[in-house]
Amino acid sequence: MERLMCILNELDDTIPWETEEKLIDDRILDSFKVIMLISEMENEFDIEISAEEIRPENLNSVRKMRTMIQRLQG
Amino acid sequence: MGYHTSVYLLLFLPAVLVIYQLVPQKKRWIVLLLSGYAFVWMISRKLIIYLWAATLVTYYTAVRLAWTKQIRAAAVRENPDEKQELCAQFGRKEKRILFFGIGLLLAGLGYVKYFNFFAANMNLFFETAGIDLQMGTGSLILPIGISFYTLQAIGYMTDVYWNKAEVSQHLGKTALFLGFFPQIMEGPISSYSQTADQLWTGQPVNVNDLSRGTVRILWGLFKKLVIADRLYIFVRAVFDHYEEYHGVLVAAAAVAYTIQLYMEFSGCMDIVAGSAILFGVSLPENFRQPFFAVNAADFWRRWHITLGTWFRTYVFYPVSVSGPVKKWIRISRKHLSVNTSRLGVLLLTLFPVWLCNGLWHGAKWKYIFYGMYYFVILFLEGALEPVYERVLKKHSILRKAFPFQFLRILKTWCIICTGELFFRADGFRIGVCMFRSMFREFSVHELWDGTLLNFGLDKADYLAVFVGCLVVAAVEFIKEKKLPGSEGIRKQKLPVRWAAYYALILAVVIFGAYGTGYQQVDLIYAGF
């Protein structure tokens, strides 16, 4: 999942991605960053992320993002 | 019967509370539901039928969705090799059910709220184009709360479709979720998972909730009666006779309306939240110190939060991952720069959200303009962000430095007040006229030469408004900066706590804008 960290750091290298657990709840990731992140994830991991997946349970931390990507990859 | 009236606060609410407590816990949901219906009936009479229809449509759609999902799961278990086909086939069916439910609800809302606007504009078009056709318009009355419970219902059905919410198999639970009386008139717009179970539980009334709820209600009354209802007098005087005023008076009216709207809407939300707390129900917050926002995007994350969250979840994100936006991202990444691609995404995603936001407020061009105003500002904020970053770096300006933050907050205030000027003006053209008149013969001394005393408010009124605003600003500052005391008045030492309670009660009783010279002011957002 180094690729995920690359995407995240490219998106914003000032956020301590590995330690943050409330990226959405604490509004660290705003709506536009979320869209750009989703688009990059789809491109990089060849997955399709629908609107129902855009929720804090899937995006609040790097660990949760990994779990979502693995689930969508089947 | 608004939430600030004595009928609600001294009769309706205490009566419901007593009956609620006397009834066995399992039946308390019935008391809440019937109270909700009584509340709507007292205001909208037979138009309560819209609420009942919305409840039935929502219940049926959600149950049907859940049932289809169950059949899909069973079919996949029986034929695991055909999982993909079955999922696609049932997925289409679920989408049809959801769209049918949403379509019915929007048709009801569209008919009562937008039909006359649509017909009037079509007639204008026919007239201009020389077509001999006329669409009939009627006197349609907006059922109370329809804009709020329709959004809640759509949110719930979509959450069931997305597997984000458990479906309610009991019609009464869906009915209560949509018809909880403190929420029905002005929101907050909650999701099913936020309130349905709390309402259904029928938690007994306890001293802690009684005290918490009462303090919250008093705080709301303070904002509404001491500040908002006084400012209403000045705001109405200027906006109703806009052609007589210009310069600083129009600017002052725009600022006064912005403060009035905030004090009124957030005050009403305090009364609503306080009422819900009495029944052990915690509602989502609608405001988070909006005047500390550093830009328009930040402002909308702090103002009418539940409406913003609704549009983000059910319009913005679905549009963001829709075919056209994905196609744009794919193509633009290949042929254009990252920034241009980003600008396209901003345009495609912001436009529908802000068009819907404007229209949601009402079927008038001024509301559409209000939505488009924020669309343009948010687009510019997003588009200029990289330039802004470069300028900050080049001049070594710290983003969090106080003078810089202060200037940003001041700029946001200008944006907010200008938007509210158009929002309050009696039509788009009048809004433009007032905006232009602000820059004519602007003489600041009119603020202190006694001119302001000609609008129905005397020095004592202005002093009450000023001190009231200072108190609210101080409380919001403590909350924003998380200073000692931000955990609330109830966590303070006994003498401080009781001094604050008495001050609040006395302020509402003595300085509230009622009696001779004042009039009871209806809740602004109840009209939406």
Side-chain angles (χ1 to χ4, degrees):
Chain A
M1 283 288 161
E2 266 177 39
R3 287 188 292 167
L4 176 61
M5 289 311 296
C6 277
I7 293 173
L8 293 170
N9 284 323
E10 231 170 76
L11 189 72
D12 192 333
D13 57 6
T14 62
I15 299 172
W17 295 103
E18 285 287 12
T19 52
E20 285 294 348
E21 289 287 325
K22 287 184 172 179
L23 289 164
I24 301 288
D25 292 341
D26 287 352
R27 295 176 284 272
I28 298 166
L29 268 183
D30 64 28
S31 321
F32 282 106
K33 282 188 181 147
V34 169
I35 305 177
M36 299 323 273
L37 175 62
I38 296 293
S39 156
E40 290 297 337
M41 281 179 179
E42 286 190 330
N43 214 17
E44 188 67 38
F45 300 104
D46 196 24
I47 52 175
E48 192 164 333
I49 301 173
S50 57
E52 66 190 89
E53 301 290 353
I54 309 177
R55 46 177 128 164
E57 300 93 289
N58 288 337
L59 299 169
N60 252 341
S61 66
V62 173
R63 186 174 48 83
K64 285 178 176 167
M65 289 180 204
R66 281 182 191 139
T67 312
M68 179 188 70
I69 292 168
Q70 281 162 357
R71 177 167 51 81
L72 293 175
Q73 281 176 328
Chain B
M1 180 173 60
Y3 297 120
H4 61 297
T5 59
S6 43
V7 180
Y8 173 80
L9 292 166
L10 302 176
L11 284 174
F12 187 83
L13 186 60
V16 176
L17 202 62
V18 169
I19 301 168
Y20 174 88
Q21 183 64 5
L22 291 174
V23 165
Q25 186 165 2
K26 278 190 173 176
K27 304 280 180 195
R28 282 183 182 145
W29 68 269
I30 300 173
V31 177
L32 289 183
L33 181 61
L34 292 179
S35 317
Y37 287 161
F39 185 83
V40 176
W41 172 261
M42 279 188 263
I43 300 167
S44 283
R45 300 286 162 184
K46 62 183 178 189
L47 294 181
I48 195 174
I49 201 156
Y50 281 92
L51 175 60
W52 290 341
T55 304
L56 286 175
V57 169
T58 309
Y59 173 73
Y60 176 74
T61 307
V63 169
R64 190 78 203 273
L65 276 170
W67 183 61
T68 314
K69 280 174 191 292
Q70 276 176 8
I71 298 176
R72 169 169 58 164
V76 169
R77 266 198 308 276
E78 277 174 27
N79 307 290
D81 299 341
E82 295 168 30
K83 186 182 172 184
Q84 220 165 358
E85 271 175 44
L86 285 167
C87 284
Q89 185 193 334
F90 278 93
R92 282 194 295 274
K93 194 173 177 187
E94 285 163 25
K95 201 177 252 182
R96 276 201 300 275
I97 297 169
L98 175 72
F99 282 1
F100 183 70
I102 293 177
L104 280 178
L105 291 179
L106 289 181
L109 179 67
Y111 175 66
V112 289
K113 195 164 177 176
Y114 304 105
F115 180 76
N116 277 346
F117 175 70
F118 175 73
N121 281 290
M122 283 310 288
N123 287 341
L124 198 69
F125 169 74
F126 293 146
E127 202 182 302
T128 317
I131 302 168
D132 188 22
L133 213 66
Q134 276 284 311
M135 279 182 80
T137 54
S139 57
L140 294 168
I141 303 165
L142 200 62
I144 199 79
I146 189 166
S147 304
F148 294 93
Y149 61 70
T150 301
L151 293 197
Q152 265 196 202
I154 292 174
Y156 167 54
M157 294 187 305
T158 313
D159 283 352
V160 171
Y161 173 75
W162 283 343
N163 300 313
K164 272 169 81 176
E166 286 279 317
V167 70
S168 155
Q169 297 293 347
H170 198 299
L171 176 62
K173 195 171 179 181
T174 309
L176 184 55
F177 165 64
L178 296 177
F180 182 45
F181 71 89
Q183 253 182 303
I184 206 152
M185 210 180 204
E186 292 203 8
I189 301 158
S190 61
S191 70
Y192 188 79
S193 54
Q194 280 172 324
T195 53
D197 284 339
Q198 294 188 70
L199 292 166
W200 193 246
T201 313
Q203 200 179 297
V205 177
N206 63 57
V207 179
N208 189 35
D209 286 343
L210 275 179
S211 124
R212 257 187 344 126
T214 310
V215 172
R216 189 78 193 262
I217 290 172
L218 277 171
W219 181 236
L221 284 173
F222 174 78
K223 288 181 184 172
K224 162 88 177 134
L225 296 176
V226 177
I227 308 170
D229 285 2
R230 272 201 176 80
L231 285 174
Y232 164 81
I233 298 168
F234 169 66
V235 170
R236 189 188 54 175
V238 176
F239 276 85
D240 282 3
H241 306 280
Y242 67 95
E243 60 287 323
E244 293 170 24
Y245 304 107
H246 51 76
V248 76
L249 288 177
V250 176
V255 173
Y257 178 65
T258 307
I259 299 171
Q260 182 209 340
L261 185 65
Y262 174 61
M263 295 299 173
E264 210 223 71
F265 192 17
S266 72
C268 174
M269 284 302 108
D270 289 325
I271 301 172
V272 163
S275 304
I277 289 170
L278 298 177
F279 299 95
V281 175
S282 165
L283 294 176
E285 292 296 336
N286 237 353
F287 293 94
R288 189 173 52 81
Q289 298 87 256
F291 295 105
F292 284 91
V294 290
N295 56 34
D298 190 20
F299 171 71
W300 279 99
R301 284 192 289 269
R302 295 162 173 266
W303 176 279
H304 208 170
I305 297 170
T306 57
L307 181 72
T309 305
W310 194 95
F311 278 120
R312 192 173 64 237
T313 311
Y314 304 108
V315 181
F316 182 79
Y317 285 146
V319 170
S320 306
V321 293
S322 65
V325 176
K326 279 185 179 174
K327 202 172 172 184
W328 162 259
I329 294 175
R330 219 172 30 245
I331 295 170
S332 60
R333 284 282 166 89
K334 272 185 196 162
H335 306 287
L336 303 165
S337 69
V338 179
N339 255 345
T340 319
S341 168
R342 199 168 152 269
L343 289 184
V345 174
L346 279 170
L347 269 179
L348 291 169
T349 51
L350 282 177
F351 181 77
V353 170
W354 289 96
L355 179 66
C356 292
N357 189 307
L359 273 172
W360 179 86
H361 282 93
K364 287 181 180 172
W365 283 108
K366 68 167 183 176
Y367 293 128
I368 295 175
F369 173 80
Y370 181 72
M372 290 299 101
Y373 170 78
Y374 275 105
F375 160 64
V376 171
I377 287 171
L378 290 169
F379 174 73
L380 288 176
E381 275 182 1
L384 295 174
E385 182 66 25
V387 183
Y388 184 66
E389 279 292 328
R390 272 202 299 275
V391 173
L392 288 184
K393 264 189 189 164
K394 197 178 169 189
H395 297 282
S396 311
I397 300 169
L398 282 176
R399 208 178 246 271
K400 295 204 168 163
F402 173 74
F404 184 63
Q405 285 289 82
F406 181 72
L407 285 177
R408 292 183 80 193
I409 290 173
L410 215 59
K411 174 207 74 183
T412 312
W413 286 359
C414 293
I415 292 173
I416 301 166
C417 292
T418 308
E420 297 307 344
L421 171 82
F422 284 94
F423 192 81
R424 172 62 176 81
D426 197 15
F428 174 62
R429 277 181 199 171
I430 294 175
V432 174
C433 180
M434 289 183 77
F435 181 73
R436 287 169 65 179
S437 75
M438 242 189 331
F439 302 98
R440 208 176 70 231
E441 296 168 53
F442 196 97
S443 18
V444 190
H445 69 269
E446 281 181 319
L447 291 178
W448 54 79
D449 68 357
T451 311
L452 289 179
L453 298 174
N454 301 324
F455 294 92
L457 294 178
D458 57 22
K459 278 184 185 168
D461 285 316
Y462 285 111
L463 187 66
V465 168
F466 180 69
V467 174
C469 286
L470 274 186
V471 172
V472 175
V475 169
E476 303 233 323
F477 182 78
I478 290 169
K479 274 192 192 170
E480 178 67 16
K481 299 294 171 195
K482 297 189 174 68
L483 299 176
S486 60
E487 61 280 5
I489 196 70
R490 291 185 65 260
K491 298 278 162 67
Q492 306 310 309
K493 285 181 181 156
L494 191 110
V496 179
R497 205 165 65 225
W498 279 97
Y501 291 164
Y502 278 121
L504 207 51
I505 294 167
L506 287 175
V508 171
V509 173
I510 299 171
F511 301 115
Y514 33 69
T516 319
Y518 303 106
Q519 67 177 84
Q520 197 160 311
V521 186
D522 289 339
L523 298 169
I524 300 170
Y525 264 72
F528 299 141

